[in-house]
C-alpha cells in the first residue's frame, strides 16, 4: 500500500477500515445494533464496505436480519490478513502480464473474495496467496537476486534477472547487472562485479543434420552425441532439447562441453546450451540448432536359391 | 499515510510487547507475512527472548527475527510488495530501523545464510537488505530515507 500502487476502491476502503479497527483496539469485538440501524450500515461503518453485510451475516451465523439490541461480532486480524492477501493478489493481477495464467489467477482471486464474503478468512488468505504466487512467477520484468552471508559475515550478492542491484560497503558502491555477482569481505569495499561465463557455440551435429540411427526394442533411437565449444568461467553446462511437438524442453546438465543423450523417438529436435558459472549464473544461450532423427533403414538382401520342389 | 503515522505513534508510545491489547492483538503494522514454510522455522518477537514455531500466515513485525534450521525454508511476502525465500540454516531480521550504528534502515537484515529476493514490479517496489558487511538495494530508487 505504501509503494504507491493502485488498489480497487473497495479493497482500499476495507484495508483502511481494517487499520482503523487495529488502531481502535483490534481483535474480534462486538457492536450493538442500534434502533433503525441495518447490517449494511454496520458493515459500512466497521468494515468500510456496505457490501460486507453478507460477510457479517455469515460471520455471525445469522439466518435472518438482526433486530435492534442484538450484538454483532466483528472479525479481527484474520480478516485483515485475508484482505491484505487479496489486495496483494489484485495488485499483481493489475501489474503483471501473466498471459495464459491470468484467467486462472483471476478465478482464484474471485474464489478468495467469495471466501471473504462467506467469512472463511483462512481460506480467503490461502487462495489469494496462491493467486499471488501464480502471478509473481510470471512477472517478465521481475527482479531476482540472491544475498548470501557466511559465518565470517562476508556477503555475496548475485543479480539474476530484471534490474541491477546496488551493493554498498565502506563508502564504495558497485552495480551488479543481471548475471553478475559481487563479493564483500567484512570491512572491505565490494569487489568488481564478476562476469557470467562466455556464450558457448554449438559444434556437432551440424545445423539441420539428419541422423539415421538404430532403434532399441522400444523403437527409440540413439546414441546422439551433442558437442559445443567450452566457455570461459563455466562450471557446467545446461542443455535444452525440444522436440517438434513438445512445449517444455528436456533439460540435461553436463560437466564437460559434450553430452550423450538417452535414446529418443524419431523426429526433429531443437537444442541449445547455456554455460553455468559460479552460483549457477548462466551465459546467454548458444544459437540453437536442429537435427532430425530417423530410424536406420534395414538392408534386405534377397538371394536366389537352389531349392526345388520335390 | 496518516494511519501509518498514527500506527507508528501508537507503537512508539507503547513499544514492543506493550503494544498488544488485552485481547492479544498486535497494534503494530505488520511488515511481512510468512506465506509458505518447510521444515523447522522459528520466530523471535522484537520484545521477547523466546523462539516460537512459525506458522503459515503469521505476520512479522519490525525487529522480529526469523530462523530456519537445516533443511528448512520460509517464503516471506513484504507488505510493500517484494518477496523473499529464506534458505536453510539462516538468520534474518525484519525491518530493522538501524541494523547497526550509522546504517540505513533496512527491510531485511541477513545475519547468516542465504535469501532469494523477488521484486515483481521493480518500478514501484524496493528492497533494502543489510548484512554484517554490506547494504544491498534493489528496485525503485529510494528518494526519502
Amino acid at each position: 500500500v505504501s509503494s504507491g500502487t493502485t488498489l480497487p476502491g473497495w479493497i482500499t476502503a476495507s484495508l483502511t477500515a481494517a487499520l482503523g479497527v487495529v488502531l481502535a483496539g483490534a481483535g474480534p469485538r462486538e457492536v450493538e445494533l442500534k434502533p433503525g440501524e441495518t447490517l449494511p450500515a454496520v458493515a459500512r461503518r466497521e468494515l468500510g464496505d456496505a457490501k460486507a453485510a453478507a460477510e457479517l451475516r455469515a460471520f455471525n451465523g445469522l439466518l435472518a436480519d438482526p433486530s435492534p439490541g442484538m450484538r454483532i461480532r466483528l472479525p479481527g486480524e484474520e480478516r485483515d490478513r485475508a484482505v491484505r492477501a487479496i489486495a496483494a493478489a489484485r495488485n499483481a493481477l493489475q501489474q503483471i502480464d501473466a498471459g495464459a495464467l491470468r484467467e486462472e489467477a483471476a478465478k482464484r482471486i474471485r474464489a478468495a473474495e467469495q471466501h471473504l464474503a462467506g467469512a472463511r478468512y483462512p481460506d480467503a488468505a490461502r487462495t489469494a496467496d496462491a493467486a499471488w504466487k501464480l502471478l509473481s512467477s510470471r512477472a517478465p520484468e521481475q527482479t531476482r537476486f540472491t544475498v548470501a552471508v557466511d559465518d565470517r559475515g562476508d556477503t555475496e550478492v548475485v543479480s539474476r534477472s530484471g534490474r541491477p542491484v546496488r551493493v554498498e560497503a565502506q563508502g564504495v558502491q558497485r552495480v551488479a547487472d543481471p548475471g553478475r555477482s559481487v563479493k564483500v569481505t567484512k570491512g572491505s569495499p565490494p569487489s568488481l562485479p564478476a562476469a557470467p561465463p562466455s556464450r558457448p557455440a554449438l559444434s556437432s551435429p551440424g545445423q539441420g543434420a539428419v541422423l539415421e540411427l538404430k532403434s532399441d526394442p522400444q523403437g527409440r533411437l540413439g546414441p546422439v552425441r551433442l558437442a559445443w565449444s567450452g566457455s570461459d568461467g563455466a562450471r557446467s553446462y545446461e542443455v535444452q532439447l525440444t522436440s517438434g511437438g513438445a512445449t517444455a524442453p528436456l533439460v540435461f546438465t553436463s560437466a564437460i562441453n559434450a553430452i550423450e543423450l538417452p535414446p529418443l523417438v524419431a523426429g526433429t529436435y531443437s537444442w541449445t546450451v547455456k554455460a553455468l558459472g559460479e552460483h549457477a549464473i548462466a551465459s546467454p544461450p548458444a544459437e540453437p540448432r536442429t537435427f532430425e532423427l530417423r530410424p536406420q533403414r534395414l538392408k534386405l538382401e534377397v538371394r536366389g536359391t537352389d531349392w526345388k520342389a520335390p | 499515510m496518516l494511519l501509518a503515522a498514527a500506527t507508528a505513534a501508537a507503537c512508539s508510545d507503547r513499544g514492543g510487547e506493550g503494544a498488544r491489547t488485552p485481547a492479544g492483538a498486535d497494534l503494530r503494522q505488520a511488515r511481512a507475512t510468512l506465506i509458505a514454510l518447510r521444515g523447522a522455522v522459528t520466530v523471535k518477537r522484537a520484545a521477547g527472548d523466546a523462539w516460537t514455531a512459525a506458522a503459515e500466515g503469521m505476520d512479522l513485525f519490525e525487529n522480529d527475527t526469523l530462523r530456519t534450521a537445516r533443511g528448512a525454508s520460509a517464503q516471506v511476502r513484504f507488505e510493500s510488495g517484494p518477496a523473499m525465500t529464506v534458505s536453510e540454516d539462516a538468520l534474518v531480521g525484519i525491518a530493522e530501523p538501524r541494523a547497526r550504528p550509522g546504517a540505513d534502515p533496512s527491510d531485511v537484515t541477513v545475519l547468516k545464510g542465504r535469501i532469494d529476493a523477488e521484486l515483481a514490479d521493480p518500478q514501484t517496489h524496493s528492497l533494502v537488505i543489510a548484512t554484517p558487511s554490506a547494504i544491498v538495494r534493489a528496485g525503485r530508487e529510494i528518494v526519502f530515507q
Side-chain angles (χ1 to χ4, degrees), chain A residues 1-3 5 16 19-20 22-23 25-27 77 81 84-85 88 95-96 129 132-133 136 139 141-151 153-155 157 160 163-169 173 184-188, chain B residues 3 6-7 10 21 23 25-27 29-30 33 35-36 57-59 75 77 79-81 83 110-125 127 129 131-142:
Chain A
V1 175
S2 60
S3 62
T5 52
T16 305
L19 283 170
V22 167
L23 287 170
E77 59 190 28
R81 187 173 297 134
R84 286 202 307 268
Q95 294 177 0
I96 298 170
D129 279 342
W132 177 85
K133 280 185 200 173
S136 62
E141 287 301 318
Q142 199 167 43
T143 293
R144 294 173 189 267
F145 62 98
T146 298
V147 177
V149 177
D150 66 17
D151 291 337
D154 296 346
T155 302
V157 180
R160 299 195 180 276
R163 290 193 171 192
V165 175
R166 291 179 292 146
V167 183
E168 188 182 323
Q173 183 174 281
V184 187
T185 303
K186 201 171 177 182
S188 302
Chain B
L3 280 173
T7 308
T21 64
D26 204 314
L27 288 183
Q29 191 170 351
T33 305
I35 57 172
M58 177 184 270
D59 286 335
Q75 196 174 5
R77 187 184 62 218
E79 293 303 314
S80 54
V110 182
L111 297 165
K112 179 187 160 196
R114 167 183 159 160
I115 65 149
D116 290 280
E118 297 177 1
L119 280 70
D121 182 3
Q123 289 192 333
T124 57
H125 296 166
L127 196 63
I129 298 172
T131 76
S133 49
I135 296 285
V136 182
R137 293 185 176 89
R140 174 174 54 86
E141 292 295 316
I142 299 161

Side-chain angles (χ1 to χ4, degrees), chain A residues 105-145:
Chain A
K107 194 172 142 189
R108 291 187 192 189
I109 293 172
R110 285 195 296 274
E113 288 169 347
Q114 284 169 2
H115 285 310
L116 184 73
R120 297 182 296 277
Y121 302 122
D123 290 340
R126 194 163 42 247
T127 309
D129 279 342
W132 177 85
K133 280 185 200 173
L134 192 67
L135 289 163
S136 62
S137 69
R138 295 299 293 265
E141 287 301 318
Q142 199 167 43
T143 293
R144 294 173 189 267
F145 62 98

Side-chain angles (χ1 to χ4, degrees), chain B:
Chain B
M1 184 63 84
L2 287 175
L3 280 173
T7 308
C11 293
S12 61
D13 286 342
R14 300 176 186 220
E17 290 294 321
R20 291 177 183 280
T21 64
D26 204 314
L27 288 183
R28 297 171 299 167
Q29 191 170 351
R31 293 300 195 97
T33 305
L34 277 166
I35 57 172
L37 299 175
R38 184 168 61 94
V41 180
T42 49
V43 171
K44 185 161 74 71
R45 294 301 187 187
D49 290 326
W51 288 92
T52 56
E56 286 188 10
M58 177 184 270
D59 286 335
L60 298 173
F61 300 90
E62 196 171 281
N63 287 323
D64 285 352
T65 311
L66 183 75
R67 185 168 63 186
T68 55
R70 187 164 294 277
S73 65
Q75 196 174 5
V76 176
R77 187 184 62 218
F78 291 90
E79 293 303 314
S80 54
M84 70 173 178
T85 301
V86 183
S87 298
E88 65 170 347
D89 202 16
L91 185 63
V92 303
I94 301 296
E96 294 184 292
R98 291 284 184 276
R100 58 180 187 277
D104 291 337
S106 65
D107 299 302
V108 191
T109 303
V110 182
L111 297 165
K112 179 187 160 196
R114 167 183 159 160
I115 65 149
D116 290 280
E118 297 177 1
L119 280 70
D121 182 3
Q123 289 192 333
T124 57
H125 296 166
S126 67
L127 196 63
V128 179
I129 298 172
T131 76
S133 49
I135 296 285
V136 182
R137 293 185 176 89
R140 174 174 54 86
E141 292 295 316
I142 299 161
V143 179
F144 300 104
Q145 292 290 344

